[in-house]
Amino acid sequence: MSAFRAASLSDGAPGITLLHAELARTDAAHRDAAQRWVRRAAALTALAGKAPAPGPQGLYGPLAALSFALHRAAAGPGAQSTARAHLRDQVAELANARAAREERRLGENPGGACGFTSFTAYDVISGQSGLGAHLLEVGRPAEAALGRVLRALGALGRPVPAPDRMLPGWWVALDGASYRPVAPADGHANLGMAHGVPGPLALLALAWRQGVRVPGQRAAITGLAEWLLARRRADDAGSWWPGQVSLGPAQPEPGRPSWCYGTPGIARALQLAGLALEVPHWQEAAVGALRAALVRADLAQTAEAGLCHGLAGLLQITWRTARDSGDPELAAHLPRLAARLLELVDEDAPFAFATAPGERPPDEHPGGFLTGAAGAALALHTFASDSAPATRWDRALLLA
């Protein structure tokens, strides 16, 4: 595994820190393990910083991942305060740089190919939504950077002119399958929570609920929520969303129900928007779409455990959505989801869960947070305790 991935939130030491930090809130035996893993994450972050070609530095990159993990592993409000403040300021500096780049793009290049944004500008994994998710909880010292992030994300609602039409402000000139650069007309508007507009919507809504507000934020939440509602499709089970919208053929049927791409992640973002602005029909649409996704899901054929596109993500989304809605139908699905996830436990596997089927990325780690055992264990802990995560680890997914 590369130094960058070993220090990342998706596959590396920070994600494993999250598991021990959460368990340490009720079991002191995990406190030492959390500290060991966060020290390992710090060492790996330093190593990754010396690499010749590090990956994109968003929430899942080493710097912000270490900050996110350390804030949860600290034993109390004053613990490791100097290190946390140093990392917080570095994350704020990174977020400010991203926001400044977007401000220049919008101010200097209002149209044409150079006017289109990129995932690193706005998404949860590598962009401003993920960085903003962390800044939202670190307090007043990050307020200025967070406000700048929120204003930049709100500006995504501004359409971008193409030669013969107006395209959404989050349209990327990337192929929808390979993410290779293409002509703008061959690009797409992403609807997935990981790389699409639900991430900015969720962050804007969570900030609003916490009383962090900037000019235009209500209008941005409303515009993004209504845009998503207008892209709903339906089958016999109910409503669903495609993973992306392009100028080519439409997605013919629902994809797998997942956090990263799929109806569940979109539904949670829409519910958060409805809760923030107190719009009942957004909340009802979100609950209805998640119900339909769970009815439609063939859990017997779902053999992936992780948070990103597996059962753990679906379990955590369903728990959060059910808790905030009080919907008994969603709550009734939880035992079935947890039971199926436990069926994937393999006592002979190095990290207790069977390897997901199909060809896996070479750097994907079976013990990691996003696709591996650490994330699956965290979702099962939420279900087993039937209480919101004490560390709010699922803010990394913008679920809460």
Side-chain angles (χ1 to χ4, degrees):
M1 181 185 291
S2 69
F4 184 91
R5 288 293 286 262
S8 73
L9 187 58
S10 57
D11 291 282
I16 298 173
T17 300
L18 295 185
L19 174 59
H20 289 289
E22 180 65 28
L23 296 176
R25 298 300 180 97
T26 54
D27 183 352
H30 287 274
R31 287 178 188 154
D32 288 345
Q35 290 302 313
R36 286 196 303 273
W37 276 105
V38 84
R39 287 195 296 271
R40 177 63 175 158
L44 288 165
T45 297
L47 190 62
K50 298 173 183 176
Q57 281 278 11
L59 177 59
Y60 282 70
L63 173 65
L66 176 60
S67 184
F68 189 85
L70 182 59
H71 275 79
R72 282 153 178 80
Q80 298 164 304
S81 57
T82 300
R84 285 192 286 146
H86 175 68
L87 287 166
R88 176 201 66 211
D89 291 346
Q90 287 187 297
V91 174
E93 184 179 338
L94 176 59
N96 270 319
R98 291 281 174 82
R101 192 163 62 199
E102 277 297 277
E103 290 161 3
R104 289 193 298 272
R105 180 183 70 84
L106 291 167
E108 299 170 7
N109 302 304
C114 57
F116 291 93
T117 191
S118 64
F119 291 153
T120 57
Y122 75 86
D123 78 359
V124 174
I125 301 294
S126 61
Q128 292 189 92
S129 294
L131 295 173
H134 184 35
L135 295 177
L136 182 58
E137 63 190 349
V138 296
R140 186 171 296 277
E143 254 181 24
L146 176 59
R148 201 170 182 185
V149 166
L150 295 175
R151 289 191 294 274
L153 293 176
L156 285 174
R158 189 187 310 175
V160 180
D164 61 345
R165 70 190 72 221
M166 299 296 286
L167 296 170
W170 54 94
W171 189 276
V172 290
L174 300 172
D175 177 74
S178 67
Y179 294 154
R180 289 195 301 269
V182 292
D186 297 322
H188 70 282
N190 201 292
L191 272 71
M193 181 65 111
H195 296 300
V197 73
L201 176 60
L203 177 62
L204 290 163
L206 288 168
W208 186 276
R209 293 185 79 190
Q210 288 186 214
V212 181
R213 299 171 186 180
V214 298
Q217 189 170 342
R218 175 185 282 273
I221 293 170
T222 301
L224 296 178
E226 292 293 343
W227 188 90
L228 282 172
L229 282 173
R231 269 76 198 165
R232 277 184 302 175
R233 299 174 189 172
D235 60 12
D236 292 342
S239 57
W240 60 278
W241 281 275
Q244 56 189 238
V245 172
S246 71
L247 302 183
Q251 183 177 320
E253 58 187 20
R256 59 183 167 184
S258 63
W259 169 76
C260 58
Y261 281 97
T263 293
I266 300 167
R268 178 58 177 168
L270 187 61
Q271 182 191 35
L272 289 171
L275 291 167
L277 299 190
E278 299 180 351
V279 182
H281 79 270
W282 295 353
Q283 298 176 54
E284 291 160 6
V287 169
L290 183 54
R291 281 184 195 153
L294 290 165
V295 167
R296 196 183 291 117
D298 185 355
L299 296 188
Q301 299 300 315
T302 304
E304 187 150 348
L307 289 169
C308 189
H309 29 255
L311 286 160
L314 185 55
L315 176 62
Q316 191 70 16
I317 290 169
T318 303
W319 190 91
R320 282 287 190 184
T321 307
R323 174 58 64 95
D324 284 344
S325 65
D327 185 76
E329 186 175 328
L330 290 181
H333 282 283
L334 292 169
R336 183 173 69 103
L337 289 167
R340 175 57 186 149
L341 181 51
L342 286 169
E343 287 175 2
L344 299 183
V345 169
D346 179 355
E347 294 181 1
D348 295 326
F351 294 91
F353 282 92
T355 303
E359 186 176 347
R360 313 307 301 175
D363 271 355
E364 185 176 278
H365 196 280
F369 171 74
L370 198 57
T371 59
L378 281 163
L380 284 169
H381 184 263
T382 298
F383 169 76
S385 64
D386 196 29
S387 58
T391 60
R392 196 154 53 187
W393 59 263
D394 55 352
R395 176 147 290 186
L397 306 174
L398 274 174
L399 297 182

